[in-house]
């Protein structure tokens, strides 16, 4: 399938879905674009997410060797590109191919596909029922490329879809001599994102860097943007702390305490927890209940945008019958303000069907 055909399909989708779907202030955030249908972070996935009626579209941002801001979920290339075939000698000692070791021109010479892992020397799609590996032609693009497309679509459609960039692994970038946070903020300001009224959230898993952004970088640049503290399990090693040439995983455990929300509110406007972090499931309960974290966040003035809601048959929790029931529990029973989803069309349709409900 050619890219032009995909984009025409996106235009068709736009004619199907209604205008801006944000009913009752419940947001749909397209996780890596419409990544349930097209390769994550491809321009086609972003165009489709826009056409499906998402309120915000997510951009994961990493940096290249020549200081370009790239849209990639990881700061390495080997999970979604053919870098191992094209540049077999450029991997690091851990076997990964880091974006920061390649120029933009080198990266854009690669083919990009659906996420995969290598087992017994064979590539296997992480989500086998999604877009097939190595079909059509996709490439990595820059933050500027994506913002230009979204702002262009906002002009041509009259809608106001927001952006939701994540600064990926800022401590790693700083350790490699690159201030990715400053570079991202400068790029955002160049495109007119500089105040709280703009449709943008800036997110990161790194609390130290978010505090630096809030207290130092944004004042220096005369900017004030909404910040979101992403929350991970410590075991994921999402953020590393570098000290004297060694690195240790940042401990997120304190963030899961309800009294942590007031501290987070001193530097952020919201939290982005993994969705199980908001619930308390017991064997004798038919469906989960809030564990109090959301209420504490709201009490502290924080919005709550959990991740990631996937409609793949093996990704729906056992405590619900279908994806709509999962959405209902989080949007209305627990009361989240928005969700990250690979399937923005399904969340848009759900909110439209339930537009008379209240928080």
């Amino acid at each position: 399938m050619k890219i032009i055909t995909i984009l025409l399909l996106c235009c068709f989708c736009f004619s199907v879905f209604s205008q801006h779907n944000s009913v009752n202030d419940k947001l749909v955030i397209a996780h890596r674009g419409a990544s349930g249908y097209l390769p994550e972070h491809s321009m086609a996935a972003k165009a489709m997410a826009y056409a499906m009626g998402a309120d915000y579209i997510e951009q994961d941002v990493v940096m290249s060797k020549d200081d370009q801001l790239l849209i990639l979920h990881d700061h390495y290339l080997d999970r979604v590109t053919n870098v191992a075939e094209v540049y077999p000698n450029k991997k690091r000692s851990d076997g990964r191919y880091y974006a920061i070791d390649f120029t933009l021109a080198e990266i854009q010479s690669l083919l990009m596909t659906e996420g995969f892992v290598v087992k017994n020397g064979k590539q296997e799609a992480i989500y086998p029922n999604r877009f097939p590996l190595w079909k059509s032609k996709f490439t990595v693009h820059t933050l500027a490329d994506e913002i230009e497309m979204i702002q262009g679509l906002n002009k041509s459609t009259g809608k106001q879809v927001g952006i939701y960039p994540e600064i990926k692994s800022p401590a790693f970038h700083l350790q490699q001599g690159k201030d990715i946070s400053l570079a991202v903020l400068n790029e955002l300001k160049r495109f007119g994102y500089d105040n709280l009224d703009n449709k943008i959230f800036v997110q990161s898993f790194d609390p130290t860097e978010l505090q630096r952004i809030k207290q130092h970088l944004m004042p220096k640049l005369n900017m004030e943007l909404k910040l979101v503290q992403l929350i991970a399990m410590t075991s994921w090693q999402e953020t590393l702390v570098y000290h004297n040439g060694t690195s240790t995983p940042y401990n997120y455990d304190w963030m899961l305490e309800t009294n942590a929300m007031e501290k987070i509110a001193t530097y952020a406007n919201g939290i982005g927890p993994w969705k199980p972090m908001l619930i308390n499931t017991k064997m004798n309960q038919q469906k989960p209940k809030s564990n109090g974290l959301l209420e504490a966040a709201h009490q502290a003035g924080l919005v709550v945008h959990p991740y990631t809601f996937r409609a793949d048959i093996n990704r729906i929790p056992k405590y619900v019958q279908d994806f709509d029931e999962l959405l209902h529990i989080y949007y209305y029973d627990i009361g989240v303000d928005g969700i990250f989803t690979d399937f923005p069309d399904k969340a848009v349709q759900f909110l439209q069907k339930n537009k008379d409900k209240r928080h």
Side-chain angles (χ1 to χ4, degrees):
M1 183 185 292
K2 302 295 185 182
I3 286 293
I4 188 64
T5 307
I6 294 171
L7 295 177
L8 287 172
L9 284 173
C10 291
C11 294
F12 170 75
C13 290
F14 178 74
S15 69
V16 173
F17 291 103
S18 64
Q19 290 292 316
H20 199 271
N21 75 278
S22 182
V23 291
N24 303 330
D25 298 322
K26 302 291 189 183
L27 299 180
V28 176
I29 304 155
H31 182 247
R32 313 180 201 174
S35 55
Y37 302 102
L38 286 158
E40 64 180 54
H41 284 315
S42 63
M43 285 287 267
K46 302 308 176 71
M48 181 167 275
Y50 190 104
M52 287 176 164
D55 297 293
Y56 286 83
I57 299 174
E58 184 192 36
Q59 301 80 32
D60 291 317
V61 188
V62 305
M63 221 166 183
S64 69
K65 183 177 182 179
D66 52 348
D67 299 331
Q68 298 299 305
L69 296 172
L70 311 168
I71 303 302
L72 278 170
H73 178 259
D74 310 303
H75 54 277
Y76 43 81
L77 295 158
D78 42 279
R79 192 179 64 88
V80 293
T81 75
N82 62 340
V83 64
E85 298 174 13
V86 180
Y87 297 103
N89 298 322
K90 294 194 71 170
K91 62 184 176 183
R92 292 197 179 187
S93 59
D94 61 0
R96 307 310 300 251
Y97 295 79
Y98 286 76
I100 206 167
D101 295 333
F102 294 80
T103 66
L104 175 62
E106 289 172 330
I107 291 171
Q108 291 192 323
S109 72
L110 303 173
L111 295 177
M112 185 174 77
T113 191
E114 182 72 20
F116 63 86
V117 294
V118 178
K119 293 183 179 180
N120 299 319
K122 183 179 179 181
Q123 294 177 357
E124 294 184 10
I126 296 172
Y127 300 99
N129 294 321
R130 294 189 180 183
F131 201 87
L133 294 179
W134 307 115
K135 298 298 182 182
S136 193
K137 184 178 181 180
F138 305 93
T139 57
V140 177
H141 61 274
T142 67
L143 177 61
D145 291 334
E146 185 162 330
I147 292 176
E148 286 177 347
M149 185 185 73
I150 292 172
Q151 290 189 346
L153 285 169
N154 282 342
K155 183 177 188 299
S156 63
T157 66
K159 297 173 67 178
Q160 286 300 316
V161 172
I163 64 173
Y164 211 125
E166 179 187 342
I167 300 173
K168 302 292 292 188
S169 305
F172 166 81
H173 283 87
L174 283 171
Q175 193 266 343
Q176 298 287 312
K178 295 188 183 297
D179 192 341
I180 187 173
S181 296
L182 181 59
V184 169
L185 290 175
N186 276 320
E187 192 77 327
L188 294 176
K189 186 171 184 178
R190 183 168 76 90
F191 281 98
Y193 299 101
D194 60 8
N195 65 75
L196 294 174
D197 292 329
N198 297 144
K199 289 204 65 175
I200 179 174
F201 291 91
V202 177
Q203 57 179 336
S204 179
F205 280 102
D206 190 330
T208 302
E209 194 67 2
L210 282 176
Q211 291 173 63
R212 175 174 172 254
I213 290 169
K214 175 72 173 181
Q215 297 164 7
H216 301 289
L217 295 185
M218 289 199 302
K220 177 182 177 181
L221 296 171
N222 193 27
M223 299 172 70
E224 188 174 10
L225 302 177
K226 296 183 287 291
L227 303 179
V228 172
Q229 174 66 66
L230 295 171
I231 307 177
M233 297 298 291
T234 298
S235 61
W236 298 350
Q237 302 188 32
E238 186 67 41
T239 294
L240 295 177
V241 179
Y242 294 88
H243 183 68
N244 292 333
T246 63
S247 63
T248 56
Y250 181 85
N251 191 329
Y252 287 93
D253 294 355
W254 70 271
M255 293 187 190
L256 300 179
E257 303 296 329
T258 56
N259 59 9
M261 296 300 103
E262 290 186 359
K263 180 178 179 180
I264 292 174
T266 64
Y267 64 87
N269 305 88
I271 59 169
W274 184 38
K275 63 183 185 295
M277 294 173 174
L278 296 173
I279 61 175
N280 180 20
T281 56
K282 296 181 180 179
M283 294 301 292
N284 61 350
Q285 290 179 349
Q286 290 187 342
K287 62 182 180 180
K289 306 289 185 182
S290 172
N291 61 13
L293 192 64
L294 176 135
E295 289 80 2
H298 281 172
Q299 184 65 32
L302 299 167
V303 297
V304 181
H305 298 159
Y307 62 90
T308 303
F309 289 74
R310 296 182 169 104
D312 309 87
I313 191 167
N314 61 342
R315 298 285 174 152
I316 298 176
K318 297 185 185 304
Y319 57 77
V320 295
Q321 293 184 344
D322 55 31
F323 192 59
D324 272 12
E325 185 180 0
L326 180 66
L327 294 178
H328 193 284
I329 287 173
Y330 276 89
Y331 270 131
Y332 297 118
D333 296 343
I334 295 174
V336 302
D337 304 289
I339 66 162
F340 284 85
T341 179
D342 295 0
F343 298 85
D345 58 325
K346 296 183 185 298
V348 168
Q349 291 171 345
F350 171 82
L351 288 176
Q352 289 173 337
K353 287 187 296 186
N354 292 274
K355 62 185 178 182
D356 293 329
K357 291 185 181 290
R358 292 295 178 262
H359 187 75

